[in-house]
């Protein structure tokens, strides 16, 4: 079956998938396993994750992560 | 006769100190006077087990720092250890499995992947051990080594108490 993007489109898809996988693996994450049960990934937004990441960075000797710049609040636009 | 790897390491260390004492004379006394504790040896042994492990620390369940070894750039290791134990307690309280009794120690494994490396924390019975590695490690293998060292430490403690009991009789 012929791809809609041709051969080049296929390569682009593969590169994009590889980049996505690489980014997923490199993303900081916290995994917990209790009482020899199943391991689960903690949600990035929980305070426990933030606390453990900070402690890990202190032990590793890595500078603390900078918070992403927040977008300024948009002014409400008039409907009329 | 040594029961565990840690006891064997301690005897080896004591033996080398005695040799140093005989060879150097009075200068060697300081070496023999300060034998490394089982906790220190356990942490050093963990670093020997895997070249990926940069540094390690051993804590009790109350957060007191028992031993540390390797490259750990944190300024106040005792405070960091205390906070680590508190964070682990928080997680084990929230995620306590059904049927587990209050106050019972829950085994906990935490691995944190950061941009510059990884941190592993293992809590079993009365002890907690944390170590810092490169990013490209297999978490299962690191936990396997940590389990082995903690088990060894427990066996050493049991053998020590047995020896003390025999000594008192």
């Amino acid at each position: 079956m012929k791809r809609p993007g041709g051969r080049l489109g296929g390569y682009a898809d593969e590169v994009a998938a590889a980049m996505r996988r690489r980014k997923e693996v490199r993303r900081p994450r916290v995994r917990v396993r209790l009482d020899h049960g199943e391991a689960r990934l903690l949600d990035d937004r929980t305070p426990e994750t933030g606390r453990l990441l900070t402690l890990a960075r202190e032990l590793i000797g890595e500078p603390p992560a900078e918070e992403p710049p927040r977008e300024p609040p948009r002014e409400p636009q008039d409907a009329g | 006769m040594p029961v565990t790897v840690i006891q064997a390491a301690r005897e080896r260390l004591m033996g080398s100190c005695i040799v140093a004492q005989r060879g150097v004379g009075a200068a060697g006394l300081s070496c023999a006077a300060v034998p490394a504790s089982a906790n220190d040896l356990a942490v050093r042994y963990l670093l020997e087990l895997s070249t990926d492990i940069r540094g390690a620390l051993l804590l009790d369940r109350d957060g007191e720092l028992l031993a540390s070894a390797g490259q750990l750039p944190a300024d106040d290791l005792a405070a960091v250890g205390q906070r680590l134990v508190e964070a682990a307690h928080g997680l084990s309280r929230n995620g306590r499995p059904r049927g587990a009794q209050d106050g019972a120690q829950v085994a906990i494994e935490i691995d944190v992947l950061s941009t510059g490396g990884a941190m592993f924390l293992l809590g079993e019975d009365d002890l907690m051990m944390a170590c810092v590695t490169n990013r490209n490690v297999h978490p299962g293998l690191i936990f396997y080594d940590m389990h082995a060292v903690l088990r060894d430490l427990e066996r050493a403690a049991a053998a020590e108490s047995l020896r003390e009991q025999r000594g008192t009789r």
Side-chain angles (χ1 to χ4, degrees), chain B:
Chain B
M1 192 176 154
V3 179
T4 63
V5 180
I6 293 165
Q7 285 179 343
R10 182 190 281 178
E11 284 190 6
R12 206 168 56 231
L13 199 75
M14 293 291 277
S16 65
C17 284
I18 290 163
V19 169
Q21 201 178 344
R22 280 176 189 157
V24 183
L29 271 172
S30 61
C31 174
V34 191
S37 73
N39 296 331
D40 285 320
L41 288 167
V43 177
R44 276 190 243 164
Y45 178 55
L46 181 69
L47 262 68
E48 279 179 27
L49 278 178
S50 171
T51 51
D52 291 318
I53 299 176
R54 295 186 211 155
L57 62 155
L58 186 70
L59 308 147
D60 67 7
R61 284 273 182 170
D62 297 327
E64 193 188 337
L65 182 67
L66 301 175
S68 68
Q71 299 169 357
L72 293 167
D75 294 330
D76 191 358
L77 271 184
V80 172
Q82 182 76 42
R83 280 155 59 206
L84 261 179
V85 169
E86 280 167 13
H89 279 323
L91 280 173
S92 59
R93 259 196 308 271
N94 294 340
R96 184 177 288 273
R98 280 179 196 171
Q101 293 173 349
D102 281 346
Q105 303 286 18
V106 176
I108 186 165
E109 288 179 8
I110 301 174
D111 66 286
V112 182
L113 201 65
S114 178
T115 38
M119 187 204 70
F120 296 87
L121 179 76
L122 172 68
E124 263 188 349
D125 297 331
D126 296 331
L127 293 172
M128 282 211 170
M129 184 179 257
C131 74
V132 173
T133 68
N134 304 323
R135 270 187 66 97
N136 304 319
V137 291
H138 196 295
L141 292 179
I142 300 294
F143 278 127
Y144 181 85
D145 288 343
M146 291 170 83
H147 272 293
V149 171
L150 277 190
R151 229 178 3 246
D152 215 22
L153 206 51
E154 279 167 23
R155 234 180 293 161
E160 197 74 37
S161 64
L162 200 67
R163 199 177 292 170
E164 279 175 11
Q165 278 175 7
R166 281 181 188 159
T168 51
R169 275 179 200 170

Side-chain angles (χ1 to χ4, degrees), chain A residues 25-36 40 42 48 51-62, chain B residues 54 73-74 77 80 83 91 94-95 97 107-119 132 135 139:
Chain A
V25 171
R26 291 192 171 259
R27 198 167 55 88
R29 58 129 181 88
V30 178
R31 195 167 51 175
V32 180
R33 189 168 167 241
L34 282 174
D35 222 24
H36 310 290
R40 66 187 169 95
L42 289 190
E48 285 99 354
R51 205 177 307 148
L52 282 165
L53 268 170
T54 309
L55 286 167
R57 285 189 180 116
E58 277 182 43
L59 278 178
I60 292 165
E62 189 183 312
Chain B
R54 295 186 211 155
L77 271 184
V80 172
R83 280 155 59 206
L91 280 173
N94 294 340
I108 186 165
E109 288 179 8
I110 301 174
D111 66 286
V112 182
L113 201 65
S114 178
T115 38
M119 187 204 70
V132 173
R135 270 187 66 97

